[in-house]
Amino acid sequence: MKFYVIGITDNPQPFFPPEVLEVIRSGKVFSGGKRHHEIVKSLLPKDAEWIDITVPLDDVFAQYSSLFTLHSSLSIIVFASGDPLFFGFANTIQRKMPDADIVVYPTFNSLQMLAHKLVMPYHDMRIVSLTGRPWQEFDRALIEGTTKVGVLTDKEHTPAAIAQRMMDYGYTYYKMYVGEHLGNPESEKVTTLTLEEAAHRDFTMPNCVIAVADSSLFTLHSSLSFGLPDASFALLNGREKMITKMPIRLLTLQALDLPHRRMFWDIGFCTGSVSIEARLLFPHLQIEAFEIRPECEAIIHENARRFGAPGIGIHIGDFLTTPLEGMGIPDAVFIGGHGGKLKEIMAKVLTVLSPDGIIVMNSVVAPKVTTDSRQLWDEACLELGLRQEPPLHIQLNDNHPITILKCKR
């Protein structure tokens, strides 16, 4: 199985070196997107067969496999945008057909072309692809204070949607550069905008974005300290006791071993303080937060915006009846509230928890607490075969003592 993967731009009259022209002239089977076909069809042999690259890709690769089965010495020539190894189709071929022989003829990718148009050095640019991907890596780049972010867009993650998200979470100190139809001399366009301007403008596809921060305006996020101040959070009905206090919050995150985890679940998030602190300290994590009280949804959204913590998955409803399919495999779980159903919650968590997963809970020792959480915890760990680690006892000022509990499979 052999593929020649040829990178092209949006130029309707592409230039290819003699070596690539010879590959095209001798080819029989070609493939690419519909836009690519329009660009190169005049260069293809008259008897050329074309396979459109459309979703689902499994159907496309089934056609490839069928052809290779019939003609073992066949080569397929694929046209792809820019550099086929830069979030490109050559990577997909490697993943789908790891034994295939691949020859790549790259050209500049869209972000390189945009940087060239701007005469902007890009060795320090962090690249994020939102093409068919979630916001996770883009959010992470913002949280980590990246000053120059190159973004590959799609029909959902448009420059306007990107600008709006940045403004929603307080990342307003960026300037946005948008390149449309790069490489096409008839329709190519490069625009420099504020986020406000970009959020209210339509852009034609294909396009890409470079966002550059003004370092003199790093105000909100550069001033955030290790440990978010409790007084800065919006609270549930103004009740100060309905938040995990900052020192306890940090000790809880330490117990969860989050630097080495991939997916964190916060069950009973209330104000969202634990999820938000975790998001800012460990932006590599995927975080899913659960809460039974519907009024807490607005509170966690407000707090996430106050602190610039996008990307927390929020689920409102009874955890015990919430479908978990498709949410992934958590390897760190904090139970912030259980409503007396701790055993049932832990049992459900165990149906999806990774083999090396950790569960942590804080137990308050208070005279008026009718349900002994520590007793429920001990009983649940015993019944479910969980191994407890030594608890940590702590008391802050005049508050009730708290025990940080931790267990593993």
Side-chain angles (χ1 to χ4, degrees):
M1 298 180 293
K2 186 164 188 174
F3 289 90
Y4 293 94
V5 190
I6 301 171
I8 61 175
T9 69
D10 211 42
N11 194 321
Q13 297 181 330
F15 169 80
F16 296 113
E19 180 183 357
V20 175
L21 289 174
E22 181 57 35
V23 169
I24 295 172
R25 278 193 292 264
S26 60
K28 295 184 181 300
V29 179
F30 298 83
S31 190
K34 294 183 184 297
R35 181 170 59 88
H36 300 141
H37 192 201
E38 289 298 314
I39 292 173
V40 303
K41 63 182 179 181
S42 63
L43 301 175
L44 305 182
K46 291 183 179 180
D47 59 347
E49 178 181 351
W50 182 272
I51 299 173
D52 275 327
I53 297 177
T54 57
V55 293
L57 290 180
D58 286 346
D59 293 346
V60 177
F61 280 89
Q63 293 181 66
Y64 294 164
S65 296
S66 178
L67 287 171
F68 284 130
T69 300
L70 294 173
H71 309 283
S72 58
S73 61
L74 179 72
S75 295
I76 296 179
I77 300 167
V78 179
F79 293 95
S81 297
D83 182 347
L85 289 171
F86 181 80
F87 297 99
F89 198 70
N91 302 349
T92 307
I93 296 173
Q94 287 182 322
R95 187 175 68 254
K96 296 279 190 179
M97 294 182 161
D99 296 328
D101 181 13
I102 304 173
V103 178
V104 175
Y105 295 101
T107 190
F108 289 118
N109 65 61
S110 59
L111 287 171
Q112 287 176 310
M113 289 193 290
L114 179 53
H116 294 162
K117 289 291 180 181
L118 297 167
V119 195
M120 177 188 291
Y122 59 89
H123 60 276
D124 56 345
M125 182 164 65
R126 182 166 173 175
I127 308 299
V128 173
S129 176
L130 292 176
T131 306
R133 292 173 169 86
W135 290 104
Q136 170 71 15
E137 288 305 312
F138 179 72
D139 293 341
R140 180 178 180 178
L142 294 179
I143 292 169
E144 292 179 347
T146 308
T147 57
K148 188 184 294 181
V149 188
V151 188
L152 301 176
T153 64
D154 64 14
K155 292 181 180 179
E156 178 183 350
H157 304 91
T158 64
I162 292 166
Q164 187 63 57
R165 189 174 184 86
M166 296 171 78
M167 290 193 298
D168 285 347
Y169 289 93
Y171 295 92
T172 56
Y173 39 79
Y174 283 83
K175 181 179 291 185
M176 181 173 282
Y177 303 90
V178 181
E180 302 168 77
H181 296 281
L182 294 170
N184 188 330
E186 298 176 0
S187 56
E188 180 179 82
K189 186 177 181 181
V190 175
T191 314
T192 302
L193 306 135
T194 66
L195 296 184
E196 180 72 28
E197 291 169 337
H200 296 92
R201 185 174 297 194
D202 292 328
F203 300 89
T204 57
M205 295 287 292
N207 58 59
C208 63
V209 165
I210 297 177
V212 180
D214 182 341
S215 58
S216 67
L217 298 177
F218 272 24
T219 54
L220 171 63
H221 303 288
S222 62
S223 65
L224 292 178
S225 59
F226 178 79
L228 302 175
D230 298 336
S232 297
F233 282 91
L235 302 174
L236 176 62
N237 299 324
R239 296 158 65 187
E240 295 182 2
K241 293 185 178 180
M242 297 299 289
I243 184 174
T244 303
K245 297 296 187 292
M246 184 262 285
I248 303 298
R249 196 161 61 238
L250 296 179
L251 287 171
T252 299
L253 298 182
Q254 186 277 332
L256 288 159
D257 189 33
L258 294 183
H260 306 104
R261 303 289 151 175
R262 298 172 300 279
M263 180 176 287
F264 168 50
W265 284 11
D266 180 5
I267 301 174
F269 64 72
C270 193
T271 63
S273 64
V274 172
S275 287
I276 290 167
E277 189 91 55
R279 187 76 181 115
L280 296 178
L281 291 177
F282 311 104
H284 70 281
L285 287 172
Q286 178 179 337
I287 300 178
E288 305 295 334
F290 303 82
E291 175 58 56
I292 195 170
R293 290 167 291 199
E295 60 268 32
C296 290
E297 183 173 12
I299 294 172
I300 191 173
H301 278 300
E302 170 63 22
N303 285 327
R305 287 183 168 88
R306 285 188 185 187
F307 292 104
I312 298 171
I314 298 169
H315 311 275
I316 301 299
D318 188 343
F319 178 79
L320 293 175
T321 59
T322 299
L324 303 182
E325 294 79 9
M327 285 195 191
I329 301 173
D331 52 4
V333 176
F334 173 62
I335 301 177
H338 55 79
K341 297 181 179 180
L342 181 60
K343 297 178 190 178
E344 295 89 339
I345 290 173
M346 292 176 71
K348 185 169 183 176
V349 166
L350 288 179
T351 65
V352 291
L353 188 69
S354 69
D356 64 341
I358 295 172
I359 303 175
V360 169
M361 186 186 79
N362 296 338
S363 175
V364 181
V365 181
K368 294 183 180 180
V369 175
T370 57
T371 302
D372 189 336
S373 294
R374 177 61 189 274
Q375 181 181 344
L376 290 177
W377 171 270
D378 290 339
E379 292 174 357
C381 289
L382 181 62
E383 292 179 18
L384 299 172
L386 297 169
R387 175 171 53 89
Q388 294 198 54
E389 297 204 352
L392 175 63
H393 305 284
I394 188 168
Q395 181 171 4
L396 296 178
N397 303 323
D398 296 328
N399 296 306
H400 295 301
I402 289 177
T403 302
I404 299 177
L405 303 167
K406 177 178 178 179
C407 69
K408 299 180 179 180
R409 286 187 181 276

